[in-house]
Amino acid sequence: MFELHQLTATQLLNGYRNKTFSPSDVAKALTAHIARVEPRINALYAYSPEPFLATAEASSARWAKGEVLGALDGVPVTLKELIATEGDPIPMGTGLGDQSPAKADAPPAARLHEDNALLLGKTTCPDFGMLSSGLSSFHGLTRNPWDLNCNTGGSSSGAGAAAAAGFGPVHIGTDIGGSVRLPAAWCGVVGFKPTLGRIPIDPYYVGRCAGPMVRCVEDAALVMPTLSRTDRRDAMRLPPETINWQDLSLDLSGLRIGVMMEAGCGLALEAEIEAAVSQAAKLLEARGAILVPVAPVLNREMLDGLDRFWQARQQSELEKLDDQSRQRVLPAISQWANGAAKASAVEAVTGFQQIMAMRRASEAVFDQVDFVISPTTPNVAFPAEWASPTNDPARPFDHIVYTVPWNMGEQPAISLNAGFSQEGMPIGVQLIGPRFADHGVLKLAYQLETALALPMRWPALITAAE
């Protein structure tokens, strides 16, 4: 039997309908669990149990009266600290610069409030959201619940840790190069990056998406009708579309699945990941899919060009700070961004053009196949204290090679757990579809999740903390 804090959002709503338990029951169990575990993983920011418990009581009253308001009424959620919530500062992982409270909810927060989801709190991220790590100069170190000596990845580091640790069923992260899918893979949960603009976000930027981090594909589908409602603040949003997100049925017969085992550059793929992804592909083949080997869409020139452009972008942010504040930024960020000081404007623009090259290559692959399966990460784990899997400011993006092309190409992509390494760390598998095929990606992910049939497994430290 699972504890209340371990239930999925779908299971919670079924329990509320059947009057098996109430949102207040869940909130009390959840806050007690967090009190035991949070000191060990440091996943939360702006967490205050009292308001959360009060909103749960109000939701319980609505359920008792049969006056439910919204599709997520009573479902606990967290938001990455980069997603504005009215009245809260946005530390950007550093606590530097203007720390005035946000004047309004960003679109994902607004949509969740409209459907009466229960905001548990915010989750941590590294400095400026520019590291795939749980390391932050403001929040401190967020640790992976599967092994406290291992990193969560990032930049949705707190969201990944919170999802893995059972801090409620739904966590919303952001992803510009893999920041939802990478921590989802390293923390053993589901992370969905939709087509750019499917979930409105503010501020918007090239490749920047918001997406759910949950423990099952069904929950990702559950929150999509809420998160995908339109918001004019996002000038890159998609037009509204009626989609039956909860329909996850899919006939795989004849479906062409491209197997992209090589990334084209970056870190070498570890053998345990290759074996897990190969096995996942074979499970899809057993259900009727046709496997087609496909070449990488990324190369070194593309990755280095993106690196140069992002250096210039980050350096422009650092120059807004005074000298004393800049000294407080993590060295991994400041040393890396300082490379832009030696680059010309032409080099920065040339780097940006590699985004267009990435976009062209990533979309062209779908001339051959319907979907793509690949690893999410090249490595199984890395030390908690490292700024990235290389821990080298000169090689900051060698680990995002399987994820970043789909941000720049704007395709939907999802990571789900494909099993565990010999040392007990999660392994992620990624599924990608052509632009706008978000529903299809969720359907395929559900079929793979069902075929994998992995038993629900919780980190040992969570069991010990109980």
Side-chain angles (χ1 to χ4, degrees):
M1 293 293 293
F2 293 118
E3 302 291 336
L4 287 179
H5 68 265
Q6 297 175 326
L7 298 180
T8 68
T10 303
Q11 290 169 331
L12 289 181
L13 290 172
N14 288 336
Y16 299 159
R17 293 187 192 99
N18 297 331
K19 301 189 184 303
T20 307
F21 45 78
S22 71
S24 287
D25 296 330
V26 173
K28 290 173 184 175
L30 191 51
T31 53
H33 173 66
I34 290 171
R36 292 188 291 267
V37 177
E38 169 63 5
R40 306 181 71 182
I41 64 172
N42 187 37
L44 299 178
Y45 159 69
Y47 167 60
S48 181
E50 291 76 16
F52 172 64
L53 291 167
T55 57
E57 288 181 8
S59 178
S60 295
R62 290 192 294 271
W63 277 99
K65 296 176 183 177
E67 299 175 351
V68 178
L69 296 175
L72 300 178
D73 199 341
V75 175
V77 301
T78 69
L79 290 158
K80 186 176 181 178
E81 65 107 317
L82 297 181
I83 300 172
T85 47
E86 183 178 0
D88 297 316
I90 307 172
M92 297 287 290
T94 67
L96 302 175
D98 182 15
Q99 292 299 300
S100 301
K103 295 181 179 179
D105 286 341
R111 301 294 84 76
L112 291 168
H113 280 145
E114 287 169 1
D115 277 359
N116 278 291
L118 307 182
L119 181 59
L120 172 67
K122 311 293 283 291
T123 52
T124 61
C125 77
D127 290 26
F128 302 102
M130 281 306 298
L131 294 177
S132 190
S133 172
L135 188 61
S136 162
S137 60
F138 178 76
H139 299 296
L141 181 59
T142 299
R143 295 180 179 273
N144 194 319
W146 290 98
D147 184 337
L148 297 180
N149 295 312
C150 290
N151 211 297
T152 57
S155 63
S156 302
S157 48
F167 288 9
V170 177
H171 309 270
I172 310 302
T174 61
D175 188 318
I176 198 171
S179 291
V180 160
R181 289 157 290 154
L182 295 170
W186 282 313
C187 294
V189 299
V190 174
F192 180 44
K193 181 207 79 70
T195 299
L196 185 75
R198 178 71 70 191
I199 296 176
I201 193 168
D202 182 32
Y204 51 87
Y205 199 76
V206 176
R208 185 172 189 250
C209 301
M213 300 174 71
V214 292
R215 293 196 296 277
C216 64
V217 175
E218 192 175 31
D219 274 4
L222 176 70
V223 299
M224 283 304 294
T226 298
L227 294 172
S228 63
R229 287 202 295 268
T230 194
D231 193 305
R232 194 167 292 277
R233 290 175 289 175
D234 185 350
M236 301 171 80
R237 70 195 182 282
L238 298 183
E241 185 177 356
T242 300
I243 297 172
N244 182 10
W245 293 101
Q246 274 69 60
D247 177 11
L248 295 173
S249 59
L250 179 66
D251 182 0
L252 273 64
S253 300
L255 206 63
R256 293 173 66 82
I257 308 291
V259 181
M260 187 177 291
M261 205 63 75
E262 295 296 326
C265 57
L267 292 176
L269 180 65
E270 294 183 5
E272 286 183 296
I273 299 176
E274 182 175 6
V277 174
S278 294
Q279 177 60 26
K282 290 176 183 176
L283 290 173
L284 295 177
E285 184 179 37
R287 294 196 170 197
I290 300 169
L291 301 184
V292 181
V294 292
V297 295
L298 193 67
N299 60 40
R300 192 78 236 179
E301 185 180 8
M302 292 176 185
L303 190 63
D304 288 347
L306 180 66
D307 188 352
R308 287 194 301 274
F309 174 69
W310 276 356
Q311 279 183 7
R313 176 173 175 259
Q314 185 59 57
Q315 184 65 17
S316 72
E317 293 299 317
L318 293 179
E319 288 180 359
K320 297 176 183 178
L321 303 174
D322 58 43
D323 290 341
Q324 185 176 8
S325 294
R326 278 198 294 272
Q327 294 299 317
R328 292 166 53 189
V329 175
L330 288 174
I333 293 288
S334 55
Q335 291 173 16
W336 163 70
N338 189 54
K342 303 175 184 177
S344 68
V346 171
E347 288 174 316
V349 172
T350 302
F352 180 81
Q353 292 304 323
Q354 290 302 321
I355 293 175
M356 299 299 105
M358 225 180 288
R359 183 185 181 103
R360 184 184 299 274
S362 61
E363 189 64 14
V365 75
F366 295 104
D367 288 335
Q368 310 169 51
V369 297
D370 300 301
F371 296 94
V372 170
I373 186 170
S374 81
T376 309
T377 66
N379 61 308
V380 172
F382 62 104
E385 296 79 10
W386 284 17
S388 75
T390 63
N391 204 33
D392 181 358
R395 300 171 61 210
F397 302 129
D398 278 22
H399 62 286
I400 67 173
V401 288
Y402 288 104
T403 53
V404 73
W406 317 114
N407 291 83
M408 301 304 108
E410 303 184 7
Q411 294 88 4
I414 191 169
S415 178
L416 59 154
N417 184 233
F420 294 83
S421 71
Q422 289 186 346
E423 295 185 352
M425 295 303 290
I427 293 173
V429 59
Q430 182 178 218
L431 299 170
I432 310 104
R435 292 174 72 212
F436 316 126
D438 306 69
H439 195 198
V441 166
L442 286 177
K443 287 183 174 186
L444 183 62
Y446 182 73
Q447 299 304 313
L448 178 55
E449 183 181 65
T450 303
L452 286 165
L454 299 176
M456 182 56 71
R457 182 171 167 181
W458 293 93
L461 85 88
I462 306 304
T463 305
E466 302 297 352

